[in-house]
Amino acid sequence: MAAENLLSGAAPVAAVLPAGGSGERLGSTTPKQFCALLGRPLISYTVRALERVNWISDIVVVVSLENIETMKSIIKKYGHKRITVVEGGMTRHRSIFNGLKIFPESTLSSCPLQKPEVVIIHDAVRPFVEEDILLKVVLAAKEHGAAGAIRPLVSTVVASSADGSLDHSLERVRYRASEMPQAFLFDIIYQAYHQCSDYDLDYGTECLQLALKYSKTNAKLIEGSPDLWKVTYKRDLYAAESIIKDNLSQQVCVTTDMKEDAVQFGFLLHKTLKSEVKVKDISVFLYKNDNHLQNTFSGQCYNFICINAEKSDIKETQQLIDILENAKISVLHPVVLISVHLNVSENMSFSSGMEELAGIKEFAREVKKKNILVYGLLIHYNKLQETINSAAAIISALIKDRNPELIGQLLVA
Amino acid sequence: MAAENLLSGAAPVAAVLPAGGSGERLGSTTPKQFCALLGRPLISYTVRALERVNWISDIVVVVSLENIETMKSIIKKYGHKRITVVEGGMTRHRSIFNGLKIFPESTLSSCPLQKPEVVIIHDAVRPFVEEDILLKVVLAAKEHGAAGAIRPLVSTVVASSADGSLDHSLERVRYRASEMPQAFLFDIIYQAYHQCSDYDLDYGTECLQLALKYSKTNAKLIEGSPDLWKVTYKRDLYAAESIIKDNLSQQVCVTTDMKEDAVQFGFLLHKTLKSEVKVKDISVFLYKNDNHLQNTFSGQCYNFICINAEKSDIKETQQLIDILENAKISVLHPVVLISVHLNVSENMSFSSGMEELAGIKEFAREVKKKNILVYGLLIHYNKLQETINSAAAIISALIKDRNPELIGQLLVA
Ligand SMILES: [Mg+2]
Ligand SMILES: [Mg+2]
């Protein structure tokens, strides 16, 4: 892999993730890094974004004393690896310093961490960081000693005079917003923290500035993507949740039973979803073909449509759920499973229909405990293409919303 | 009214809304101000935010030539008043200048606008501006000649050297982000635009800076709320849509028919919604009481729950829809109407149940053309409080999501 070649050599890359902040700016009592998005704390998304980068050897998460147990339980629940939890300080800089100290000091501890050549510093509240920008800052840090992601300014920056009037405004093109991730040769940033003043530790916010002031290192500035933004306000939580839902709804897997009707409907649905809704990939295959399903799981598909020609049969759906559970596919994200039923019996009474429906509700409630959201969809044949279009629209809506309150409902296309 | 007293005097306040920007930063071909949120263009929300402030006499919207017809059709469709559409220039400053020119020049035109004492300049892509901050900048402009909203910086601002390295970072506390709205004594900003250079008009972005440079006016800086942020990226559209949905779901109106069962269920639902879901107000009343309904409409309620003890009766729902339509309540926002049915007949066959359901789907599809989203909710009595809780959760989800693809569905609590 390119990244591994570029980073070849014995010295590892580690990451420090300061997560000691309070929730003040969000107007919430929960610090923003612990706010739940689709049921999972924001910090778990950020940890996952670093954890999946295999050339990062250790991730040090720095949290305030009262959140250490919370953080440990998050690590356990979501199966995060290569994480060390460290207690933070009173300020951001003191927390980062605590995170850095763990490396030289860890030879004394029971769980030693190798001192890295390069250390990444990232924010717990920037969950959408990609491997690409991480690699760029690390390589630039190797060359220049320090590097950080920047973005163009969205607003003009102004300086105010003592009386609250405009003193001057900065020319927007000459300045940039300093974002995260940043990366440093470990010795450079560690030395800077050792030498800096209490005033720096208490009132400073910018690691690049410490490297400049105390290690005479002019950091390389690297243009990042808009996705690096910091989740700061409530609206940012809304935005983050929508982005996560959007990402999860890109890929759909369609399974059908052996009946000809189901296979035919599956292919038509496939075609319609592909042309009318943005879905990256759809696999139509027979239900028992586990190998194909396993491939789909490794492709990070979080949406499953099971088409049954027979009347509602929970057994087959249960089988898929077992496979999903074994693959641990729903540990990190809620999985949507839409059970589509063709040819609903004409002679069934409404009350027995209702009873069956109540059964699906009960079933869905149980399965939700595994983070799998089950919805039913009855196909009420009328005009075929119209019905397919309607089914595709409903499926697309269910996948995009991922609404836990509507599980177990039987919708009609 | 306080604002009117503070602003007393013959000279009016006008607003100029530059909306000539392109959609580049959003990665979309539609300029962001014309992107739809819940089906309605963003700029219409911003226009509405200014229009509802009754002491703003005229609103000048500046759009590029190719969007003039689009803008006029938006004004017509959403019934906006006191709007003048003006053609923009090549840059933001040139567009604002065009907007300002309309006042002194309008004596020559067929539709004269009175030259205002104070002019507000706001962005088309900041839809959540409140009367409070508008009043503050206008009063400060009357006193100081110019005023603008500011916000604390979210990120540290850095200056880069020619080789793309960090030159220095700004001390975050000394600087602010300049946001909108801004307000000016008309003559001050108009004179500044007349005197400024082509370079200013082509490369500048900051009106406060023009007032400083050419009219020697140090603008008063006024701390605004986070809601003033500029919709810039795709994530901001997500955030804005979530905020709008959140605002629309704050108030619910419950209506019941005359049957005792329905009234009782309505009161229980009322209680549960009030304690478990955040709803500002719920009115339980008999169905025909139009006066009460009219009061609810003026209170900006966009969610209606109609409880029927009888089996699905579209006539009563139709009556409510007619009232909603007459009140033009759904012109600006999609209205959610949930038709709740108690005591569904036990003996109905599933296929006749399906037929009735198909009728509701057809009905919902028609009503959607009026921007009213109809959903059905069957109450399947089992344990009463459990059913009420389930109904409240489903209702709350439908109201919050406002999903047009799920209209006409019959959900079961
Ligand atoms: Mg932070
Ligand atoms: Mg703008």
Side-chain angles (χ1 to χ4, degrees), chain A residues 92 123 125 230:
Chain A
R92 177 178 160 82
D123 277 330
V125 291
K230 180 156 76 173

Side-chain angles (χ1 to χ4, degrees), chain B residues 18-21 25 32-33 92 122-126 180 230-231:
Chain B
R25 277 197 283 198
K32 53 196 177 300
Q33 60 272 27
R92 176 178 161 83
H122 188 60
D123 279 329
V125 291
R126 301 186 195 251
M180 291 271 152
K230 181 156 76 172
V231 173

Side-chain angles (χ1 to χ4, degrees), chain A residues 25 126 144 150-161 163-172 174-179 199 205-206 208-209 212 217-222 226-230 232-236 238-240 242-243 245-246 344-355 357-358 361 365 377-380 386 390 393-394 397-398 401 403 405-406 409-413, chain B residues 25 126 144 150-161 163-172 174-179 199 205-206 208-209 212 217-222 226-230 232-236 238-240 242-243 245-246 344-355 357-358 361 365 377-380 386 390 393-394 397-398 401 403 405-406 409-413:
Chain A
R25 277 197 283 197
R126 301 184 194 250
H144 301 275
I150 52 164
R151 286 286 306 158
L153 293 173
V154 169
S155 305
T156 300
V157 173
V158 295
S160 67
S161 52
D163 68 344
S165 293
L166 175 68
D167 187 75
H168 63 280
S169 78
L170 301 183
E171 218 183 316
R172 208 195 284 183
R174 291 198 51 224
Y175 294 87
R176 294 286 181 277
S178 173
E179 308 287 343
Y199 185 88
T205 54
E206 183 52 72
L208 300 182
Q209 181 63 22
L212 177 62
T217 301
N218 289 77
K220 184 76 182 171
L221 303 177
I222 294 171
D227 294 338
L228 289 179
W229 107 104
K230 180 156 76 173
T232 308
Y233 300 108
K234 193 177 181 190
R235 67 166 188 267
D236 295 315
Y238 286 144
S242 294
I243 291 169
K245 284 182 177 177
D246 214 33
V344 177
S345 164
E346 290 276 322
N347 298 319
M348 203 192 296
S349 81
F350 203 74
S351 62
S352 82
M354 292 289 281
E355 246 164 66
L357 198 152
K361 280 199 90 168
R365 219 172 286 153
L377 180 60
L378 299 179
I379 303 303
H380 189 53
E386 212 174 86
S390 166
I394 292 168
L398 290 174
D401 283 357
N403 194 322
E405 301 299 347
L406 300 184
Q409 296 293 337
L410 228 64
L411 306 174
V412 178
Chain B
R25 277 197 283 198
R126 301 186 195 251
H144 301 275
I150 51 163
R151 287 285 307 156
L153 294 173
V154 168
S155 304
T156 301
V157 173
V158 294
S160 67
S161 52
D163 68 344
S165 292
L166 175 69
D167 188 73
H168 62 279
S169 79
L170 302 182
E171 219 182 317
R172 208 195 285 185
R174 291 198 49 223
Y175 294 88
R176 293 285 181 278
S178 173
E179 309 287 343
Y199 185 87
T205 54
E206 183 52 70
L208 300 182
Q209 181 63 22
L212 177 63
T217 302
N218 289 75
K220 184 76 182 171
L221 303 178
I222 294 171
D227 294 339
L228 289 179
W229 107 102
K230 181 156 76 172
T232 308
Y233 300 106
K234 193 175 182 193
R235 68 166 187 265
D236 295 315
Y238 286 143
S242 293
I243 290 168
K245 285 183 176 177
D246 213 34
V344 177
S345 163
E346 290 275 322
N347 298 318
M348 203 191 296
S349 80
F350 203 73
S351 62
S352 82
M354 292 289 281
E355 247 164 64
L357 198 152
K361 279 200 90 166
R365 220 172 286 154
L377 180 59
L378 300 180
I379 303 301
H380 188 55
E386 212 174 87
S390 165
I394 291 168
L398 290 173
D401 282 357
N403 194 324
E405 301 300 346
L406 299 184
Q409 296 292 337
L410 228 63
L411 306 174
V412 178

